[in-house]
Amino acid sequence: MAFAITQNCCNDASCLSVCPVNCIHPTPDEPDFGKTELLYIDPRSCIDCGACADACPVDAITPVSRLTPEQSIYADINADYYKDKPTDPAWARPRFPAPAVSELRKIDVAIIGTGPAAYYTAQALLRLPRSRVTFYDRLKTVGGLARYGVAPDHLGTRRINEHFRSIFAHPRVSMKLGVEVGVDIDQQTLSERYDAVVYAVGAENDRPLDIPGLDLPGSISARTVVGWYNGHPDVAADAVDLTGVRSVTIIGNGNVALDAARILTADPDDLASTSISPHALAALRKNRVEEVVVLARRGPEFAAFTRSECKALLDRPHVDVVVAGSPETVSTIDALPPAAPASALRGADLVELGSPHSARRIVFAFGRAPLAVHGDNGVDSVLVGTEDDSRSISTELVLLAIGYRGTPSAGVPFDEHSGTINNVDGRVTNHDGTLVAGCYVVGWAKRGATGGIGDNKVDAELTVDALVEDLAARSPRRTRDWHRRLSASAKTLEDVVILDR
Ligand code: NAP
């Protein structure tokens, strides 16, 4: 019997470091890492110790024998990953991280933001015994997207906030909440006060879409809907008006689109015991959305959602999931490999956009680009087109879910093209390519708005490695000391660290 990793997997690889037999892959040094939907347990090598289940921050790991009927597919999904791979050596050589140079002295780092990227940055820094971290957040509540981005019905994923708490309460951590960098304190002051400043500010805007009508009432960002159902302090209780809304069209088919589609068509009684905001729950009880169209400009082979999120829509008894497109759309779905996200839609009925329906439904529309949003005083339709034709879909609410984009932080160079802080591998750079001393970036502000919570762990560790390396190089006294000690008696860097203690 083995354990299996299921839908909630956040990819942060906490399970990998505790597995005694190296049976969880891909590991951060394997090419697939960050590209697979989940991490996978090799049932051929798993010794059933359960260490990974204890370490998992989001409760995604379960013994195969205890998978629920809905989860049972994950036994195969885990095993499938290893189909054409050799069995691992049962007791792979353990790897120990090299002692960090900054153990030699105290370092004091400011982290701007308290979301997942900020958390993993602090976790890596606090492994250095004499480090201190000060978090700054313009909000008075910590957690960033882990608190205000994860859908309320994703109970397992939301549990990661409990893990975050241990870092925020760490004795070497200070919290400056309700303090906005750029308004209440500037980058110059921070750089004088701390050895390093790490920006973990995420991506707070939408990618732009240049079509007419997006400014009409009834056309809003999916980001607003996410903030609304999660009670984000910046999003007013009436920012989403569902009055009279029967049909919603979501532009884009990433996981944000699927989260919004699932919540808008959920049974409010199922949401009542979650952390959903009271105003969103009241609105969902009062108004019944009958149809959500998830609109993708490309075919199913390019679906941006993950298979597990798509599957979660299929398991609900009172909501039909159907496909709109050409007959080739169905054959493309049928030909997709099982691991492809849209393969989850195999067997779904093909319908016409706007066709009558009796049950609530989610329509995955493929190969139709949004051309315009129409209406007089508010949205009443969206014009969508293929290469050959265009048609109007009746809709009362349009949600833009085409991805997030960063916004500039005052005093920090910003790359308008990518919507990220200008950087090379986490080191902030000026536009002429020179380094901004002591300034770093992690997470979506560094690499753009892709990846889930756990993807930030390795990303943050790489930036912390760069930070530590730079601090070591910046201290002439310490560098001189190391050289002297190295040449005097020590043979290796490990020896130097021991000598210094
Ligand atoms: P995303 O995954 O980047 O998806 C963006 C979608 O917008 C794609 O379908 C894309 O289509 C479409 N799009 C982009 N530009 C467009 C345009 N000009 N016209 C029409 N469509 C356009 O973005 P996201 O949904 O915001 O998610 C961001 C990240 O957060 C993702 O990595 C996601 O997995 C993660 N996330 C995960 C979860 C979860 O695990 N539950 C929840 C939320 C978010 P093309 O492919 O054609 O460009």
Side-chain angles (χ1 to χ4, degrees):
M1 196 49 66
F3 278 66
I5 301 183
T6 64
Q7 181 197 341
N8 287 344
C9 177
C10 72
N11 264 301
D12 89 348
S14 300
C15 52
L16 285 169
S17 50
V18 297
C19 175
V21 293
N22 192 25
C23 78
I24 308 177
H25 296 267
T27 62
D29 45 7
E30 291 171 348
D32 275 0
F33 187 77
K35 296 186 190 139
T36 58
E37 204 169 291
L38 315 170
L39 300 174
Y40 306 94
I41 292 177
D42 186 346
R44 303 166 303 176
S45 332
C46 176
I47 57 167
D48 218 9
C49 69
C52 54
D54 292 341
C56 176
V58 293
D59 272 353
I61 307 182
T62 312
V64 166
S65 57
R66 284 202 225 135
L67 291 170
T68 62
E70 295 79 43
Q71 290 175 322
S72 59
I73 186 174
Y74 287 96
D76 290 340
I77 289 176
N78 279 247
D80 283 353
Y81 181 74
Y82 295 96
K83 250 186 192 153
D84 49 3
K85 295 188 173 59
T87 319
D88 273 316
W91 295 89
R93 191 169 169 266
R95 280 177 294 123
F96 298 105
V101 169
S102 60
E103 288 186 20
L104 293 170
R105 72 161 170 124
K106 163 180 172 297
I107 63 167
D108 215 344
V109 178
I111 300 178
I112 319 306
T114 60
Y119 163 82
Y120 288 119
T121 303
Q123 195 184 50
L125 283 166
L126 291 167
R127 281 187 207 125
L128 311 173
R130 281 186 264 173
S131 58
R132 295 194 67 82
V133 166
T134 304
F135 284 102
Y136 285 81
D137 200 312
R138 70 183 181 83
L139 298 181
K140 292 197 169 136
T141 322
V142 294
L145 275 189
R147 164 69 184 81
Y148 292 115
V150 178
D153 57 341
H154 277 166
L155 303 177
T157 310
R158 289 187 72 89
R159 280 202 54 199
I160 204 154
N161 288 296
E162 291 162 30
H163 287 257
F164 282 19
R165 231 171 273 148
S166 64
I167 287 284
F168 297 131
H170 192 285
R172 281 183 281 123
V173 164
S174 312
M175 305 299 295
K176 306 258 186 210
L177 300 181
V179 179
E180 186 166 357
V181 172
V183 175
D184 304 308
I185 186 165
D186 60 18
Q187 160 61 22
Q188 177 65 28
T189 311
L190 288 171
S191 67
E192 288 161 10
R193 210 172 272 178
Y194 297 95
D195 294 309
V197 183
V198 182
Y199 282 81
V201 291
E204 293 208 315
N205 212 338
D206 294 313
R207 280 188 196 138
L209 180 63
D210 188 18
I211 61 169
L214 280 179
D215 52 349
L216 280 167
S219 164
I220 56 176
S221 164
R223 233 170 6 92
T224 304
V225 176
V226 172
W228 173 74
Y229 60 58
N230 279 326
H232 192 293
D234 288 352
V235 181
D238 61 358
V240 180
D241 185 1
L242 292 181
T243 314
V245 173
R246 313 292 282 174
S247 170
V248 178
T249 300
I250 306 183
I251 301 175
N253 74 357
N255 278 344
V256 169
L258 266 54
D259 277 349
R262 195 182 64 254
I263 296 292
L264 289 173
T265 52
D267 180 341
D269 286 341
D270 292 340
L271 295 174
S273 58
T274 72
S275 60
I276 190 169
S277 63
H279 50 259
L281 184 62
L284 291 168
R285 283 199 190 285
K286 206 162 150 206
N287 306 281
R288 189 179 155 90
V289 172
E290 292 296 344
E291 178 183 65
V292 176
V293 176
V294 178
L295 192 66
R297 59 181 169 175
R298 299 195 285 168
E301 66 276 37
F302 301 106
F305 54 78
T306 54
R307 184 174 51 168
S308 48
E309 291 304 323
C310 184
K311 259 199 63 46
L313 297 178
L314 299 167
D315 292 337
R316 301 183 309 167
H318 303 299
V319 183
D320 290 345
V321 174
V322 295
V323 168
S326 63
E328 291 81 62
T329 307
V330 174
S331 38
T332 305
I333 291 173
D334 287 344
L336 288 171
S343 69
L345 293 172
R346 209 168 280 162
D349 289 341
L350 181 69
V351 301
E352 280 289 317
L353 276 175
S355 58
H357 54 102
S358 47
R360 238 179 182 183
R361 71 180 185 181
I362 293 176
V363 184
F364 279 88
F366 290 103
R368 297 192 179 274
L371 301 176
V373 177
H374 290 147
D376 291 330
N377 301 317
V379 169
D380 62 31
S381 63
V382 182
L383 186 67
V384 300
T386 63
E387 276 175 10
D388 309 323
D389 77 331
S390 61
R391 69 174 61 189
S392 235
I393 318 174
S394 269
T395 196
E396 294 85 30
L397 181 63
V398 170
L399 306 183
L400 189 65
I402 66 166
Y404 292 5
R405 180 187 155 83
T407 48
S409 297
V412 183
F414 187 74
D415 177 9
E416 285 295 342
H417 178 69
S418 62
T420 58
I421 290 178
N422 225 37
N423 77 96
V424 175
D425 297 335
R427 290 180 170 101
V428 175
T429 53
N430 291 304
H431 293 298
D432 63 4
T434 54
L435 289 180
V436 178
C439 193
Y440 301 86
V441 60
V442 290
W444 281 6
K446 169 185 175 184
R447 61 177 199 278
T450 60
I453 291 176
D455 293 300
N456 291 297
K457 187 171 186 217
V458 172
D459 172 282
E461 285 168 354
L462 291 172
T463 293
V464 169
D465 285 350
L467 182 159
V468 167
E469 195 181 308
D470 294 350
L471 282 183
R474 250 170 54 185
S475 164
R477 183 189 64 74
R478 291 167 58 231
T479 313
R480 217 176 30 243
D481 266 8
W482 299 335
H483 284 303
R484 187 173 51 73
R485 285 161 187 252
L486 252 182
S487 52
S489 58
K491 301 279 181 293
T492 65
L493 184 58
E494 283 85 342
D495 292 336
V496 176
V497 174
I498 291 160
L499 271 178
D500 193 77
R501 282 175 186 153

